[in-house]
Amino acid sequence: NNELLFDNVTVAEAAKMLEEEYNVTIMINDSAIHSQRFPTTFPKNGNLDQALKSICEFNGVTYRYDNTNNAAVIIIDGPENK
């Protein structure tokens, strides 16, 4: 299968799948976002930013990169941090 299928998964579940697929760490700063659900599909060879943008737009949140420790850390912020 050449797609990552997010079939009514939570943001936390999608973050875990993206972490495994792209070898990054994703932190979600707002506990209310963890349980928000959404459906979508991404090509496995697709762009990580494209996947994150879609997830965040659907859920009304933002993401940013934190490279302070020379690691790929992505932080998903809640609506109040936009």
Side-chain angles (χ1 to χ4, degrees):
N1 189 348
N2 291 333
E3 295 180 324
L4 287 175
L5 175 62
F6 298 137
D7 185 17
N8 198 30
V9 298
T10 65
V11 172
E13 291 167 336
K16 183 70 175 160
M17 294 166 114
L18 291 173
E19 284 179 332
E20 292 172 1
E21 182 68 24
Y22 293 97
N23 196 30
V24 296
T25 300
I26 299 176
M27 298 182 341
I28 303 171
N29 277 347
D30 186 334
S31 60
I33 298 169
H34 282 260
S35 59
Q36 291 183 6
R37 295 187 172 273
F38 65 100
T40 194
T41 303
F42 300 107
K44 275 196 175 179
N45 62 350
N47 182 304
L48 175 60
D49 282 314
Q50 186 178 23
L52 289 166
K53 183 176 179 183
S54 178
I55 291 168
C56 288
E57 283 181 357
F58 188 88
N59 290 287
V61 298
T62 59
Y63 75 95
R64 58 192 161 94
Y65 286 92
D66 179 0
N67 295 317
T68 55
N69 294 321
N70 293 326
V73 177
I74 299 151
I75 301 167
I76 297 177
D77 289 316
E80 71 279 356
N81 296 325
K82 284 177 107 173

